[in-house]
Amino acid sequence: MEFYFYAVFGIQVIFLVALEFGRSGKDRISTSPAFNAFKNNYLVVYSLMMAGDWLQGPYVYALYVYYGYTKGDIGKLFIAGFGSSMLFGTIVGSLADRYGRKRMSVLYCITYILSCFTKHSPQYRVLMLGRVLGGIATSLLFSSFESWLVAEHFKRGFEAQWLSLTFSKAIFLGNGLIAIIAGLVANTLAGTFNFGPVSPFDAAVCVLAVGMAIILMTWAENYGDQTEGKSIIDQFTKAASAIAADEKIALLGAIQSLFEGSMYTFVFLWTPALSPNDQMIPFGFIFATFMLASMLGSSLASRLMSRSNLRVESYMQVVFAVASGSLCLPVIIQFFLPDERSDSITPGGRLNLLGFCIFEMCVGIFWPSIMKMRSQYIPEDSRSTIMNFFRIPLNIFVCVVLYNVSAFPISVMFGMCAIFLAMAGVLQRRLLVVSEKHNRTKALASVEEKMHDSEAEPLNI
C-alpha cells in the first residue's frame, strides 16, 4: 500500500488528537453526575445499534454477488430497501409518537435481527424481504432513538445545551470509531477466519440483541401525541400541518434532504472516482480514513456547539459551502487531469481523496448539528413522524439515482451533488434569518407581557 494513504490517515489522527486533548475551558460544558450517567447509557446503546448496522455494510453487496446475482438484481434489492424506508418510515414514526419511542427502539432491534436472518437464504424473495425489513429498521434507527433521547433529556430536567454534548459524542463514537471497528471485525470474520460473507450479519444479530437487552432493562418509556381516538392519518395530517405552518421546520427538512441525498449519492460514487480504471487500491483502508475524517468533524462540532455565542444556524452555512466545494473537485479534475492508465491511484485520485476526506469531515459536523436544530424546532408531540417525513424526499432521490446511476458520467453526478449542497447553504442562510426574526419577536412579546403585568399590579398604599 502506498505511503500516501498512510500519510492522509496519519495527518488526520494528529489533528483529531490535537482537537480532543487541546480543549480549553471555553470548549467544555460543565454537567452533572446524573446527566453523565444518562448520557453514557445512551451512548452505549447507540453505539451498539450503529455497530449492528455498520457490521453489515461492507458485505451486503458482496453477499449478493456470492449468491450469484447480477448488478441489475442487486440494484433492485437496494432500491427495495430505500423504497421500504420511504413507504413505511412515516408509519413507524407515527407509531413511535403514539405507542412509545422505547417500544419502537426495541422493534428496530427485532426488525434488523430478522433482516439479518434472511441473509442465510440465497432465494431472491427472501433477500427482498430482508431488504424491506432493513428499510423499516433504518427509519426506526434515525427517528426513534433521537426522539427518545430528546424527550427523556428534557423530562429529567437537564439543560438544553447539554444535548449538543450527547449528539457530538454519539456521532464521534457511533458514526466514527464504531464504524472503523465494525469494518475491521467484519473483515476479520469473513476474510481472515474465512467464515464467509454471511458471518458479519450473525455478529450484528449478537450486538443488536445485547443492545435490546440494555434498552429493556434501563430505558423509561416516553411518548408524543397520545390523544384518544386519533388515527395515524390524523397524526400525518398534524405533522404535515406543522411543517406547512412553520417555515423553520420546512427549511430544516429541505436542508436535511439535500445534504443526505448528496451524501448517499457520494457513497455510490467515491469508489469509481478513486479507481476510474479499476486500479487496485485499499478500499477498506480508505473507508477507515473516511470514518476518521467524520470523527474529526464531530469533534470539531463539539467545540463549535459548546460556544454559547456561536449559533449552529450560522456556522452550518460555511460547512455547506465547504462540502459543495469538496464535491466540485472531481468535476474540475475531470477537465484538468484526465484519466491515465495506472496500476495505482492517479494524481487526480490523490486530489479526490483529499476532497472526499474534507466532505466526510463536513458529514461529521452535519450530524450533531442537524440533531441540535431538530431538537429546537420540531414539536415534541410529532417528533418521530416529522423526522420520517423529512426522509421521504431523500429516499425518492436515492431510488432515482440508483435506477439511473449508469446513465450519467460521474462528473455530472458530483456536479449535481455540489449544486444541492450549495442550495442547502442558501436555505441555511434563510433559516438563520427566519429564526433570528422569530427570536426577536418572541423577546419583544416577553418584554411587553412583563410591562403589562407590572402595570396591572395594584399599588400598595
Side-chain angles (χ1 to χ4, degrees), residues 368-382:
S369 301
I370 198 75
M371 289 175 175
K372 176 70 172 177
M373 288 189 287
R374 286 195 299 238
S375 71
Q376 293 172 339
Y377 297 133
I378 299 179
E380 180 57 39
D381 56 357
S382 301

Side-chain angles (χ1 to χ4, degrees), residues 267-284:
V267 169
F268 294 103
L269 297 179
W270 73 263
T271 300
L274 296 180
S275 178
N277 298 311
D278 298 324
Q279 292 98 330
M280 294 300 294
I281 59 178
F283 294 109

Side-chain angles (χ1 to χ4, degrees), residues 380-397:
E380 180 57 39
D381 56 357
S382 301
R383 184 176 299 278
S384 296
T385 307
I386 291 175
M387 286 173 63
N388 277 302
F389 258 118
F390 289 171
R391 296 186 64 82
I392 292 176
L394 162 68
N395 286 308
I396 292 175
F397 173 77

